[in-house]
């Protein structure tokens, strides 16, 4: 029924939509169909997928032949999800693998992109320089290059250096924050004294005569430190979804290592079969050791050492360790910190996200006299 104050429509809804488009306006009613499709949670066109190490390693070796020197570029092979038109491994993450030849330097640059390196083939003489601080890259070490920090990669060893890169490139693209600045020199100046490193001021102690360091920090998490902790916590109870999972934390505030990226390492003990769960975060996994299967929706992702796989946002999934093996160890990166800061992070079932309390002091567990 037409309101008496308004005349009968002189054009159809379709014609009106076209008229609005010509003046760069759109009626919200045009989104109704899309909103109905979103009932039940966020949808993504990203698909679950595995990039097997045998294939990636072969292509990396070919890239070393095709690209004799890296100079300002990076010899990186990015994992592109076929379900995403704009590219990316997930809608917010871009993962790939990079190789640096013996004697080679990947020149210094910086950008608003946050990035991390998880080392596959390392050496004490393979290192990344971040803001003038030299961070060695040995096998399974994690090295951070926070947003807008100068960084360059050096391989002074006799072996090919390789690592997993994970960056928030798709997120920066969607926010319109992409930028790039080359240093104009092969390398940045390196601090000669470790006492001048900012990263030496965020451990157990720091100089009291100085102001606390702030901002993005060059950080390295050595596997030699992380693995004993993983072994320690593997002696007790773990998560019903992820078994024994530990988060890498920023030593300054105890939160995630980067504002947009959460890094974890987890062990699936022999015979583990995880509880089915879905999360609004998307996650990229790298297999450090072991074999298993991750079921994502109706898709079974079978993985082994050095494979990379992705679990898209809000996809039901469960991890299963392959019986008869020693156990599996996975490194993972998700966009959970960003979602948590915007209060968009959710898990289902809800109790899957509940955290247990740490063990109480012994006197609290003793019965009253």
């Amino acid at each position: 029924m037409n309101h008496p104050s308004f005349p009968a429509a002189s054009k159809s809804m379709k014609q009106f939509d076209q008229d609005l488009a010509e003046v760069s306006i759109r009626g919200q009613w045009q989104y109704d169909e899309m909103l109905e499709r979103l009932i039940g949670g966020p949808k993504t066109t990203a698909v679950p997928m595995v990039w097997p190490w045998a294939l990636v390693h072969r292509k990396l070796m070919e890239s070393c032949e095709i690209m004799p020197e890296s100079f300002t570029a990076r010899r990186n092979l990015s994992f592109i999800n076929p379900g995403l038109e704009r590219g990316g491994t997930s809608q917010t993450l871009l993962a790939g693998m990079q190789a640096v030849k013996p004697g080679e330097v990947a020149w210094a640059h910086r950008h608003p992109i946050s990035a991390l390196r998880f080392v596959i083939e390392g050496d004490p003489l393979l290192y990344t320089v971040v803001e003038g601080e030299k961070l060695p890259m040995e096998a399974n070490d994690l090295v951070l290059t926070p947003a807008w920090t100068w960084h360059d990669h050096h391989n002074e060893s006799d072996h090919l250096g390789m690592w997993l890169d994970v960056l928030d490139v798709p997120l920066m693209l969607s926010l319109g924050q992409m930028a790039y600045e080359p240093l104009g020199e092969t390398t940045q100046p390196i601090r000669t004294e470790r006492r001048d490193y900012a990263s030496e001021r965020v451990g157990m102690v720091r100089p009291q005569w100085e102001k606390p360091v702030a901002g993005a920090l060059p950080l390295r998490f050595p596997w030699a430190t992380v693995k004993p902790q993983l072994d320690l916590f593997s002696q007790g109870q773990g998560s019903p979804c992820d078994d024994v999972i530990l988060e890498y934390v920023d030593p300054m505030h105890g939160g995630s290592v980067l504002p947009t990226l959460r890094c974890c390492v987890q062990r699936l003990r022999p015979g583990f079969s995880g509880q089915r769960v879905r999360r609004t975060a998307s996650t990229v996994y790298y297999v450090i050791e072991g074999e298993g299967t991750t079921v994502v929706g109706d898709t079974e992702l079978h993985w082994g050492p050095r494979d990379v796989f992705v679990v898209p946002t809000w996809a039901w999934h469960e991890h299963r360790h392959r019986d008869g093996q020693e156990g599996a160890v996975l490194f993972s990166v998700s966009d959970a910190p960003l979602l948590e800061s915007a209060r968009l992070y959710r898990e289902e079932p809800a109790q899957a996200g509940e955290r247990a309390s740490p063990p109480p002091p012994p006197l609290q567990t003793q019965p009253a006299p």
Side-chain angles (χ1 to χ4, degrees), residues 43-49 51 79-95 167 169-171 173 282-284 310-313 335:
K43 302 292 190 299
T44 178
T45 58
V47 297
M49 188 169 177
W51 287 267
F79 302 141
I80 304 302
N81 195 301
L84 297 172
E85 291 185 7
R86 191 165 57 180
T89 311
S90 79
Q91 72 275 13
T92 56
L93 306 175
L94 179 65
L167 311 91
V169 171
L171 173 64
L173 279 169
S282 59
T283 307
V284 171
V310 62
V311 175
T313 183
D335 53 10

PDB file of all heavy atoms in Angstrom, residues 43-49 51 79-95 167 169-171 173 282-284 310-313 335:
ATOM      1  N   LYS A  43      31.725 -16.740   6.092  1.00  0.00           N
ATOM      2  CA  LYS A  43      32.025 -17.638   4.973  1.00  0.00           C
ATOM      3  C   LYS A  43      33.288 -17.140   4.276  1.00  0.00           C
ATOM      4  O   LYS A  43      33.571 -15.962   4.221  1.00  0.00           O
ATOM      5  CB  LYS A  43      30.864 -17.660   3.980  1.00  0.00           C
ATOM      6  CG  LYS A  43      29.517 -18.077   4.554  1.00  0.00           C
ATOM      7  CD  LYS A  43      29.504 -19.531   4.968  1.00  0.00           C
ATOM      8  CE  LYS A  43      28.091 -20.001   5.300  1.00  0.00           C
ATOM      9  NZ  LYS A  43      27.459 -19.278   6.424  1.00  0.00           N
ATOM     10  N   THR A  44      34.052 -18.058   3.746  1.00  0.00           N
ATOM     11  CA  THR A  44      35.232 -17.718   2.968  1.00  0.00           C
ATOM     12  C   THR A  44      35.297 -18.615   1.745  1.00  0.00           C
ATOM     13  O   THR A  44      34.808 -19.754   1.775  1.00  0.00           O
ATOM     14  CB  THR A  44      36.528 -17.873   3.796  1.00  0.00           C
ATOM     15  OG1 THR A  44      37.655 -17.556   2.961  1.00  0.00           O
ATOM     16  CG2 THR A  44      36.686 -19.286   4.316  1.00  0.00           C
ATOM     17  N   THR A  45      35.862 -18.085   0.686  1.00  0.00           N
ATOM     18  CA  THR A  45      36.047 -18.897  -0.519  1.00  0.00           C
ATOM     19  C   THR A  45      37.358 -19.676  -0.470  1.00  0.00           C
ATOM     20  O   THR A  45      37.624 -20.491  -1.361  1.00  0.00           O
ATOM     21  CB  THR A  45      36.037 -18.008  -1.774  1.00  0.00           C
ATOM     22  OG1 THR A  45      37.063 -17.013  -1.666  1.00  0.00           O
ATOM     23  CG2 THR A  45      34.689 -17.331  -1.948  1.00  0.00           C
ATOM     24  N   ALA A  46      38.187 -19.419   0.549  1.00  0.00           N
ATOM     25  CA  ALA A  46      39.432 -20.172   0.702  1.00  0.00           C
ATOM     26  C   ALA A  46      39.117 -21.646   0.921  1.00  0.00           C
ATOM     27  O   ALA A  46      38.131 -21.998   1.575  1.00  0.00           O
ATOM     28  CB  ALA A  46      40.246 -19.624   1.873  1.00  0.00           C
ATOM     29  N   VAL A  47      39.966 -22.510   0.400  1.00  0.00           N
ATOM     30  CA  VAL A  47      39.741 -23.946   0.520  1.00  0.00           C
ATOM     31  C   VAL A  47      40.871 -24.567   1.344  1.00  0.00           C
ATOM     32  O   VAL A  47      42.002 -24.069   1.337  1.00  0.00           O
ATOM     33  CB  VAL A  47      39.666 -24.621  -0.868  1.00  0.00           C
ATOM     34  CG1 VAL A  47      38.488 -24.088  -1.654  1.00  0.00           C
ATOM     35  CG2 VAL A  47      40.960 -24.417  -1.649  1.00  0.00           C
ATOM     36  N   PRO A  48      40.579 -25.650   2.069  1.00  0.00           N
ATOM     37  CA  PRO A  48      41.654 -26.373   2.762  1.00  0.00           C
ATOM     38  C   PRO A  48      42.591 -27.001   1.746  1.00  0.00           C
ATOM     39  O   PRO A  48      42.139 -27.537   0.732  1.00  0.00           O
ATOM     40  CB  PRO A  48      40.906 -27.419   3.581  1.00  0.00           C
ATOM     41  CG  PRO A  48      39.584 -27.577   2.903  1.00  0.00           C
ATOM     42  CD  PRO A  48      39.258 -26.260   2.291  1.00  0.00           C
ATOM     43  N   MET A  49      43.882 -26.931   2.016  1.00  0.00           N
ATOM     44  CA  MET A  49      44.840 -27.379   1.006  1.00  0.00           C
ATOM     45  C   MET A  49      46.174 -27.708   1.643  1.00  0.00           C
ATOM     46  O   MET A  49      46.553 -27.105   2.657  1.00  0.00           O
ATOM     47  CB  MET A  49      45.013 -26.276  -0.046  1.00  0.00           C
ATOM     48  CG  MET A  49      45.836 -26.670  -1.247  1.00  0.00           C
ATOM     49  SD  MET A  49      45.721 -25.436  -2.557  1.00  0.00           S
ATOM     50  CE  MET A  49      46.861 -26.138  -3.744  1.00  0.00           C
ATOM     51  N   TRP A  51      50.368 -28.076   0.679  1.00  0.00           N
ATOM     52  CA  TRP A  51      51.469 -27.887  -0.249  1.00  0.00           C
ATOM     53  C   TRP A  51      52.568 -28.859   0.182  1.00  0.00           C
ATOM     54  O   TRP A  51      53.286 -28.617   1.155  1.00  0.00           O
ATOM     55  CB  TRP A  51      51.976 -26.448  -0.218  1.00  0.00           C
ATOM     56  CG  TRP A  51      51.038 -25.482  -0.866  1.00  0.00           C
ATOM     57  CD1 TRP A  51      51.054 -25.059  -2.169  1.00  0.00           C
ATOM     58  CD2 TRP A  51      49.912 -24.813  -0.262  1.00  0.00           C
ATOM     59  NE1 TRP A  51      50.033 -24.169  -2.402  1.00  0.00           N
ATOM     60  CE2 TRP A  51      49.313 -24.005  -1.255  1.00  0.00           C
ATOM     61  CE3 TRP A  51      49.359 -24.822   1.023  1.00  0.00           C
ATOM     62  CZ2 TRP A  51      48.196 -23.212  -0.987  1.00  0.00           C
ATOM     63  CZ3 TRP A  51      48.254 -24.042   1.289  1.00  0.00           C
ATOM     64  CH2 TRP A  51      47.677 -23.253   0.289  1.00  0.00           C
ATOM     65  N   PHE A  79      52.410 -19.518  -1.351  1.00  0.00           N
ATOM     66  CA  PHE A  79      51.364 -20.529  -1.470  1.00  0.00           C
ATOM     67  C   PHE A  79      50.028 -19.818  -1.685  1.00  0.00           C
ATOM     68  O   PHE A  79      49.502 -19.161  -0.773  1.00  0.00           O
ATOM     69  CB  PHE A  79      51.323 -21.395  -0.221  1.00  0.00           C
ATOM     70  CG  PHE A  79      52.630 -22.100   0.063  1.00  0.00           C
ATOM     71  CD1 PHE A  79      53.099 -22.242   1.361  1.00  0.00           C
ATOM     72  CD2 PHE A  79      53.396 -22.604  -0.970  1.00  0.00           C
ATOM     73  CE1 PHE A  79      54.304 -22.878   1.619  1.00  0.00           C
ATOM     74  CE2 PHE A  79      54.600 -23.244  -0.732  1.00  0.00           C
ATOM     75  CZ  PHE A  79      55.056 -23.386   0.568  1.00  0.00           C
ATOM     76  N   ILE A  80      49.479 -19.964  -2.874  1.00  0.00           N
ATOM     77  CA  ILE A  80      48.277 -19.242  -3.272  1.00  0.00           C
ATOM     78  C   ILE A  80      47.068 -20.173  -3.209  1.00  0.00           C
ATOM     79  O   ILE A  80      47.033 -21.206  -3.880  1.00  0.00           O
ATOM     80  CB  ILE A  80      48.423 -18.656  -4.692  1.00  0.00           C
ATOM     81  CG1 ILE A  80      49.659 -17.752  -4.770  1.00  0.00           C
ATOM     82  CG2 ILE A  80      47.166 -17.898  -5.085  1.00  0.00           C
ATOM     83  CD1 ILE A  80      49.654 -16.592  -3.788  1.00  0.00           C
ATOM     84  N   ASN A  81      46.102 -19.804  -2.418  1.00  0.00           N
ATOM     85  CA  ASN A  81      44.880 -20.593  -2.274  1.00  0.00           C
ATOM     86  C   ASN A  81      44.014 -20.416  -3.519  1.00  0.00           C
ATOM     87  O   ASN A  81      43.661 -19.287  -3.870  1.00  0.00           O
ATOM     88  CB  ASN A  81      44.117 -20.135  -1.028  1.00  0.00           C
ATOM     89  CG  ASN A  81      43.047 -21.111  -0.606  1.00  0.00           C
ATOM     90  OD1 ASN A  81      42.138 -21.413  -1.363  1.00  0.00           O
ATOM     91  ND2 ASN A  81      43.150 -21.608   0.616  1.00  0.00           N
ATOM     92  N   PRO A  82      43.663 -21.490  -4.213  1.00  0.00           N
ATOM     93  CA  PRO A  82      42.907 -21.357  -5.470  1.00  0.00           C
ATOM     94  C   PRO A  82      41.506 -20.796  -5.289  1.00  0.00           C
ATOM     95  O   PRO A  82      40.890 -20.368  -6.261  1.00  0.00           O
ATOM     96  CB  PRO A  82      42.865 -22.796  -6.005  1.00  0.00           C
ATOM     97  CG  PRO A  82      43.057 -23.669  -4.810  1.00  0.00           C
ATOM     98  CD  PRO A  82      43.964 -22.902  -3.896  1.00  0.00           C
ATOM     99  N   GLY A  83      41.004 -20.764  -4.053  1.00  0.00           N
ATOM    100  CA  GLY A  83      39.665 -20.234  -3.838  1.00  0.00           C
ATOM    101  C   GLY A  83      39.613 -18.729  -3.647  1.00  0.00           C
ATOM    102  O   GLY A  83      38.524 -18.151  -3.568  1.00  0.00           O
ATOM    103  N   LEU A  84      40.771 -18.074  -3.579  1.00  0.00           N
ATOM    104  CA  LEU A  84      40.817 -16.639  -3.308  1.00  0.00           C
ATOM    105  C   LEU A  84      41.207 -15.875  -4.567  1.00  0.00           C
ATOM    106  O   LEU A  84      42.296 -16.072  -5.108  1.00  0.00           O
ATOM    107  CB  LEU A  84      41.818 -16.342  -2.186  1.00  0.00           C
ATOM    108  CG  LEU A  84      41.483 -16.953  -0.819  1.00  0.00           C
ATOM    109  CD1 LEU A  84      42.649 -16.762   0.145  1.00  0.00           C
ATOM    110  CD2 LEU A  84      40.213 -16.330  -0.251  1.00  0.00           C
ATOM    111  N   GLU A  85      40.340 -14.992  -5.034  1.00  0.00           N
ATOM    112  CA  GLU A  85      40.604 -14.249  -6.261  1.00  0.00           C
ATOM    113  C   GLU A  85      41.805 -13.318  -6.116  1.00  0.00           C
ATOM    114  O   GLU A  85      42.591 -13.149  -7.043  1.00  0.00           O
ATOM    115  CB  GLU A  85      39.371 -13.428  -6.658  1.00  0.00           C
ATOM    116  CG  GLU A  85      38.194 -14.265  -7.128  1.00  0.00           C
ATOM    117  CD  GLU A  85      37.048 -13.401  -7.613  1.00  0.00           C
ATOM    118  OE1 GLU A  85      37.238 -12.164  -7.691  1.00  0.00           O
ATOM    119  OE2 GLU A  85      35.972 -13.953  -7.914  1.00  0.00           O
ATOM    120  N   ARG A  86      41.967 -12.689  -4.947  1.00  0.00           N
ATOM    121  CA  ARG A  86      43.017 -11.691  -4.771  1.00  0.00           C
ATOM    122  C   ARG A  86      44.340 -12.326  -4.356  1.00  0.00           C
ATOM    123  O   ARG A  86      45.355 -11.658  -4.253  1.00  0.00           O
ATOM    124  CB  ARG A  86      42.574 -10.648  -3.727  1.00  0.00           C
ATOM    125  CG  ARG A  86      43.477  -9.439  -3.686  1.00  0.00           C
ATOM    126  CD  ARG A  86      42.853  -8.294  -2.958  1.00  0.00           C
ATOM    127  NE  ARG A  86      42.459  -8.622  -1.601  1.00  0.00           N
ATOM    128  CZ  ARG A  86      41.885  -7.763  -0.769  1.00  0.00           C
ATOM    129  NH1 ARG A  86      41.615  -6.542  -1.170  1.00  0.00           N
ATOM    130  NH2 ARG A  86      41.550  -8.122   0.454  1.00  0.00           N
ATOM    131  N   GLY A  87      44.355 -13.618  -4.141  1.00  0.00           N
ATOM    132  CA  GLY A  87      45.574 -14.278  -3.721  1.00  0.00           C
ATOM    133  C   GLY A  87      45.657 -14.392  -2.218  1.00  0.00           C
ATOM    134  O   GLY A  87      44.820 -13.870  -1.479  1.00  0.00           O
ATOM    135  N   GLY A  88      46.695 -15.075  -1.743  1.00  0.00           N
ATOM    136  CA  GLY A  88      46.854 -15.319  -0.320  1.00  0.00           C
ATOM    137  C   GLY A  88      46.683 -16.795  -0.025  1.00  0.00           C
ATOM    138  O   GLY A  88      46.039 -17.540  -0.773  1.00  0.00           O
ATOM    139  N   THR A  89      47.270 -17.223   1.079  1.00  0.00           N
ATOM    140  CA  THR A  89      47.103 -18.599   1.542  1.00  0.00           C
ATOM    141  C   THR A  89      45.774 -18.738   2.271  1.00  0.00           C
ATOM    142  O   THR A  89      45.101 -19.754   2.193  1.00  0.00           O
ATOM    143  CB  THR A  89      48.272 -18.985   2.464  1.00  0.00           C
ATOM    144  OG1 THR A  89      49.506 -18.625   1.824  1.00  0.00           O
ATOM    145  CG2 THR A  89      48.275 -20.471   2.746  1.00  0.00           C
ATOM    146  N   SER A  90      45.410 -17.702   3.026  1.00  0.00           N
ATOM    147  CA  SER A  90      44.060 -17.534   3.565  1.00  0.00           C
ATOM    148  C   SER A  90      43.657 -16.100   3.272  1.00  0.00           C
ATOM    149  O   SER A  90      44.400 -15.361   2.620  1.00  0.00           O
ATOM    150  CB  SER A  90      44.027 -17.819   5.074  1.00  0.00           C
ATOM    151  OG  SER A  90      44.520 -16.709   5.817  1.00  0.00           O
ATOM    152  N   GLN A  91      42.500 -15.680   3.767  1.00  0.00           N
ATOM    153  CA  GLN A  91      42.034 -14.335   3.436  1.00  0.00           C
ATOM    154  C   GLN A  91      42.876 -13.238   4.091  1.00  0.00           C
ATOM    155  O   GLN A  91      42.842 -12.081   3.671  1.00  0.00           O
ATOM    156  CB  GLN A  91      40.560 -14.163   3.819  1.00  0.00           C
ATOM    157  CG  GLN A  91      40.286 -14.073   5.308  1.00  0.00           C
ATOM    158  CD  GLN A  91      40.146 -15.437   5.953  1.00  0.00           C
ATOM    159  OE1 GLN A  91      40.486 -16.458   5.363  1.00  0.00           O
ATOM    160  NE2 GLN A  91      39.651 -15.461   7.172  1.00  0.00           N
ATOM    161  N   THR A  92      43.696 -13.595   5.104  1.00  0.00           N
ATOM    162  CA  THR A  92      44.530 -12.596   5.785  1.00  0.00           C
ATOM    163  C   THR A  92      46.009 -12.944   5.792  1.00  0.00           C
ATOM    164  O   THR A  92      46.841 -12.084   6.087  1.00  0.00           O
ATOM    165  CB  THR A  92      44.085 -12.424   7.248  1.00  0.00           C
ATOM    166  OG1 THR A  92      44.118 -13.697   7.901  1.00  0.00           O
ATOM    167  CG2 THR A  92      42.690 -11.826   7.351  1.00  0.00           C
ATOM    168  N   LEU A  93      46.366 -14.198   5.478  1.00  0.00           N
ATOM    169  CA  LEU A  93      47.743 -14.669   5.610  1.00  0.00           C
ATOM    170  C   LEU A  93      48.321 -15.078   4.258  1.00  0.00           C
ATOM    171  O   LEU A  93      47.615 -15.629   3.410  1.00  0.00           O
ATOM    172  CB  LEU A  93      47.804 -15.883   6.545  1.00  0.00           C
ATOM    173  CG  LEU A  93      47.198 -15.723   7.939  1.00  0.00           C
ATOM    174  CD1 LEU A  93      47.238 -17.057   8.681  1.00  0.00           C
ATOM    175  CD2 LEU A  93      47.928 -14.647   8.728  1.00  0.00           C
ATOM    176  N   LEU A  94      49.609 -14.814   4.091  1.00  0.00           N
ATOM    177  CA  LEU A  94      50.339 -15.292   2.928  1.00  0.00           C
ATOM    178  C   LEU A  94      51.563 -16.049   3.430  1.00  0.00           C
ATOM    179  O   LEU A  94      52.434 -15.480   4.090  1.00  0.00           O
ATOM    180  CB  LEU A  94      50.783 -14.138   2.038  1.00  0.00           C
ATOM    181  CG  LEU A  94      51.590 -14.544   0.801  1.00  0.00           C
ATOM    182  CD1 LEU A  94      50.733 -15.365  -0.164  1.00  0.00           C
ATOM    183  CD2 LEU A  94      52.158 -13.319   0.082  1.00  0.00           C
ATOM    184  N   ALA A  95      51.613 -17.339   3.124  1.00  0.00           N
ATOM    185  CA  ALA A  95      52.742 -18.173   3.514  1.00  0.00           C
ATOM    186  C   ALA A  95      53.530 -18.563   2.270  1.00  0.00           C
ATOM    187  O   ALA A  95      52.999 -18.576   1.157  1.00  0.00           O
ATOM    188  CB  ALA A  95      52.264 -19.426   4.247  1.00  0.00           C
ATOM    189  N   LEU A 167      53.302 -13.883   6.304  1.00  0.00           N
ATOM    190  CA  LEU A 167      53.114 -12.437   6.336  1.00  0.00           C
ATOM    191  C   LEU A 167      51.626 -12.114   6.322  1.00  0.00           C
ATOM    192  O   LEU A 167      50.798 -12.920   5.871  1.00  0.00           O
ATOM    193  CB  LEU A 167      53.783 -11.773   5.129  1.00  0.00           C
ATOM    194  CG  LEU A 167      55.226 -12.152   4.800  1.00  0.00           C
ATOM    195  CD1 LEU A 167      55.257 -13.330   3.821  1.00  0.00           C
ATOM    196  CD2 LEU A 167      55.984 -10.991   4.190  1.00  0.00           C
ATOM    197  N   VAL A 169      50.124 -10.007   4.372  1.00  0.00           N
ATOM    198  CA  VAL A 169      49.954  -9.245   3.133  1.00  0.00           C
ATOM    199  C   VAL A 169      48.488  -9.049   2.749  1.00  0.00           C
ATOM    200  O   VAL A 169      48.053  -7.917   2.477  1.00  0.00           O
ATOM    201  CB  VAL A 169      50.731  -9.913   1.979  1.00  0.00           C
ATOM    202  CG1 VAL A 169      50.376  -9.267   0.645  1.00  0.00           C
ATOM    203  CG2 VAL A 169      52.231  -9.795   2.218  1.00  0.00           C
ATOM    204  N   PRO A 170      47.651 -10.110   2.698  1.00  0.00           N
ATOM    205  CA  PRO A 170      46.260  -9.877   2.296  1.00  0.00           C
ATOM    206  C   PRO A 170      45.529  -8.910   3.227  1.00  0.00           C
ATOM    207  O   PRO A 170      44.688  -8.127   2.770  1.00  0.00           O
ATOM    208  CB  PRO A 170      45.639 -11.281   2.353  1.00  0.00           C
ATOM    209  CG  PRO A 170      46.796 -12.216   2.208  1.00  0.00           C
ATOM    210  CD  PRO A 170      47.925 -11.542   2.921  1.00  0.00           C
ATOM    211  N   LEU A 171      45.857  -8.965   4.502  1.00  0.00           N
ATOM    212  CA  LEU A 171      45.227  -8.040   5.445  1.00  0.00           C
ATOM    213  C   LEU A 171      45.627  -6.611   5.137  1.00  0.00           C
ATOM    214  O   LEU A 171      44.784  -5.703   5.094  1.00  0.00           O
ATOM    215  CB  LEU A 171      45.637  -8.402   6.876  1.00  0.00           C
ATOM    216  CG  LEU A 171      45.187  -7.420   7.960  1.00  0.00           C
ATOM    217  CD1 LEU A 171      43.667  -7.378   8.056  1.00  0.00           C
ATOM    218  CD2 LEU A 171      45.813  -7.790   9.299  1.00  0.00           C
ATOM    219  N   LEU A 173      46.626  -5.402   2.345  1.00  0.00           N
ATOM    220  CA  LEU A 173      45.987  -5.010   1.085  1.00  0.00           C
ATOM    221  C   LEU A 173      44.548  -4.559   1.319  1.00  0.00           C
ATOM    222  O   LEU A 173      44.108  -3.532   0.795  1.00  0.00           O
ATOM    223  CB  LEU A 173      46.006  -6.181   0.101  1.00  0.00           C
ATOM    224  CG  LEU A 173      47.298  -6.421  -0.676  1.00  0.00           C
ATOM    225  CD1 LEU A 173      47.238  -7.754  -1.396  1.00  0.00           C
ATOM    226  CD2 LEU A 173      47.558  -5.296  -1.674  1.00  0.00           C
ATOM    227  N   SER A 282      41.823 -17.952  10.723  1.00  0.00           N
ATOM    228  CA  SER A 282      42.390 -18.882   9.753  1.00  0.00           C
ATOM    229  C   SER A 282      43.803 -19.216  10.196  1.00  0.00           C
ATOM    230  O   SER A 282      44.486 -18.394  10.817  1.00  0.00           O
ATOM    231  CB  SER A 282      42.387 -18.280   8.346  1.00  0.00           C
ATOM    232  OG  SER A 282      43.135 -17.072   8.307  1.00  0.00           O
ATOM    233  N   THR A 283      44.268 -20.428   9.875  1.00  0.00           N
ATOM    234  CA  THR A 283      45.550 -20.908  10.398  1.00  0.00           C
ATOM    235  C   THR A 283      46.352 -21.624   9.322  1.00  0.00           C
ATOM    236  O   THR A 283      45.813 -22.444   8.578  1.00  0.00           O
ATOM    237  CB  THR A 283      45.325 -21.879  11.577  1.00  0.00           C
ATOM    238  OG1 THR A 283      44.480 -21.252  12.552  1.00  0.00           O
ATOM    239  CG2 THR A 283      46.644 -22.240  12.239  1.00  0.00           C
ATOM    240  N   VAL A 284      47.638 -21.281   9.264  1.00  0.00           N
ATOM    241  CA  VAL A 284      48.596 -21.962   8.398  1.00  0.00           C
ATOM    242  C   VAL A 284      49.481 -22.841   9.274  1.00  0.00           C
ATOM    243  O   VAL A 284      49.974 -22.393  10.318  1.00  0.00           O
ATOM    244  CB  VAL A 284      49.463 -20.955   7.624  1.00  0.00           C
ATOM    245  CG1 VAL A 284      50.603 -21.663   6.896  1.00  0.00           C
ATOM    246  CG2 VAL A 284      48.608 -20.175   6.628  1.00  0.00           C
ATOM    247  N   VAL A 310      46.649 -25.363   5.171  1.00  0.00           N
ATOM    248  CA  VAL A 310      45.863 -24.241   5.675  1.00  0.00           C
ATOM    249  C   VAL A 310      44.468 -24.712   6.072  1.00  0.00           C
ATOM    250  O   VAL A 310      43.851 -25.527   5.384  1.00  0.00           O
ATOM    251  CB  VAL A 310      45.775 -23.103   4.624  1.00  0.00           C
ATOM    252  CG1 VAL A 310      45.070 -23.558   3.351  1.00  0.00           C
ATOM    253  CG2 VAL A 310      45.081 -21.870   5.211  1.00  0.00           C
ATOM    254  N   VAL A 311      43.994 -24.182   7.205  1.00  0.00           N
ATOM    255  CA  VAL A 311      42.617 -24.375   7.657  1.00  0.00           C
ATOM    256  C   VAL A 311      41.921 -23.022   7.559  1.00  0.00           C
ATOM    257  O   VAL A 311      42.273 -22.089   8.286  1.00  0.00           O
ATOM    258  CB  VAL A 311      42.557 -24.904   9.098  1.00  0.00           C
ATOM    259  CG1 VAL A 311      41.109 -24.966   9.583  1.00  0.00           C
ATOM    260  CG2 VAL A 311      43.219 -26.279   9.195  1.00  0.00           C
ATOM    261  N   PRO A 312      40.957 -22.861   6.644  1.00  0.00           N
ATOM    262  CA  PRO A 312      40.290 -21.562   6.482  1.00  0.00           C
ATOM    263  C   PRO A 312      39.443 -21.188   7.696  1.00  0.00           C
ATOM    264  O   PRO A 312      39.149 -22.010   8.565  1.00  0.00           O
ATOM    265  CB  PRO A 312      39.411 -21.771   5.242  1.00  0.00           C
ATOM    266  CG  PRO A 312      39.988 -22.947   4.542  1.00  0.00           C
ATOM    267  CD  PRO A 312      40.531 -23.830   5.629  1.00  0.00           C
ATOM    268  N   THR A 313      39.026 -19.936   7.716  1.00  0.00           N
ATOM    269  CA  THR A 313      38.215 -19.426   8.813  1.00  0.00           C
ATOM    270  C   THR A 313      36.882 -20.156   8.921  1.00  0.00           C
ATOM    271  O   THR A 313      36.267 -20.521   7.914  1.00  0.00           O
ATOM    272  CB  THR A 313      37.961 -17.916   8.624  1.00  0.00           C
ATOM    273  OG1 THR A 313      37.219 -17.415   9.735  1.00  0.00           O
ATOM    274  CG2 THR A 313      37.173 -17.630   7.358  1.00  0.00           C
ATOM    275  N   ASP A 335      45.597 -15.574  12.430  1.00  0.00           N
ATOM    276  CA  ASP A 335      45.286 -14.155  12.538  1.00  0.00           C
ATOM    277  C   ASP A 335      44.465 -13.848  13.793  1.00  0.00           C
ATOM    278  O   ASP A 335      43.821 -12.802  13.885  1.00  0.00           O
ATOM    279  CB  ASP A 335      44.529 -13.683  11.291  1.00  0.00           C
ATOM    280  CG  ASP A 335      43.302 -14.542  10.976  1.00  0.00           C
ATOM    281  OD1 ASP A 335      42.928 -15.385  11.815  1.00  0.00           O
ATOM    282  OD2 ASP A 335      42.716 -14.388   9.894  1.00  0.00           O
TER     283      ASP A 335
END
